[in-house]
Amino acid sequence: METNYLKRCFGNCLAQALAEVAKVRPSDPIEYLAHWLYHYEKTAKAKEKNREEKIQLQEEYDSSLKEMEMTEMLKQEEYQIQQNCEKCHKELNSETVSTKKTIFMQEDTNPLEKEALKQEFLPGTSSMIPGMPQQVSPSESAG
């Protein structure tokens, strides 16, 4: 039972410490062993802290990469939407202009004028519109 406790608390470090004492053969082996164990503990804590910091940094880095990827995807999506909007606006503007021209032509000319325009361009037709009063120039009225 004591060996399990010692293995759990000291693990491999007690065996390493005793091997170091046997190798160095200091004048005060107990003091040397105590300093060696304190130094081992500081080193082990520093290694654990360093390992935890590396893990945390790696997690932050991964998170940052994901965020950058999402930002890039959103920028691309925004650009595509903007391009689609510009395309739609151009199509709407061209349709609106042609519709306005058609409406303007329809509103601007009454049926009699439309008939006159048709006759004006047909060969052998006169420019006189039936049913409309004609303006006579002063030179024609004198003659």
Side-chain angles (χ1 to χ4, degrees), residues 5-118:
Y5 169 75
L6 292 175
K7 282 182 183 179
R8 191 181 40 178
C9 293
F10 290 102
N12 199 20
C13 82
L14 186 57
Q16 289 176 358
L18 291 174
E20 186 71 22
V21 169
K23 182 173 120 182
V24 174
R25 295 182 185 261
S27 58
D28 188 0
I30 295 173
E31 185 178 349
Y32 186 85
L33 180 62
H35 285 291
W36 195 95
L37 290 172
Y38 281 124
H39 177 72
Y40 181 86
E41 181 184 25
K42 285 180 186 178
T43 305
K45 284 183 180 180
K47 284 181 181 179
E48 179 63 24
K49 185 178 179 183
N50 191 15
R51 187 183 68 80
E52 289 174 0
E53 287 176 353
K54 282 184 179 180
I55 290 171
Q56 183 180 2
L57 285 174
Q58 185 63 41
E59 288 173 354
E60 289 175 3
Y61 178 75
D62 292 342
S63 172
S64 175
L65 282 178
K66 287 180 183 178
E67 188 175 324
M68 286 176 45
E69 289 172 358
M70 288 297 293
T71 302
E72 186 63 31
M73 286 174 49
L74 288 173
K75 284 181 181 179
Q76 289 177 355
E77 187 176 330
E78 181 181 7
Y79 179 75
Q80 289 174 350
I81 291 172
Q82 190 176 25
Q83 293 297 319
N84 289 341
C85 285
E86 288 176 4
K87 182 180 174 184
C88 289
H89 285 298
K90 286 179 182 178
E91 290 174 0
L92 282 175
N93 284 341
S94 66
E95 288 177 8
T96 304
V97 167
S98 65
T99 304
K100 284 182 180 178
K101 285 180 181 177
T102 305
I103 291 172
F104 178 75
M105 291 295 288
Q106 290 173 351
E107 290 176 352
D108 196 38
T109 56
N110 63 32
L112 290 176
E113 290 174 339
K114 286 181 190 175
E115 187 63 34
L117 287 173
K118 285 180 188 176

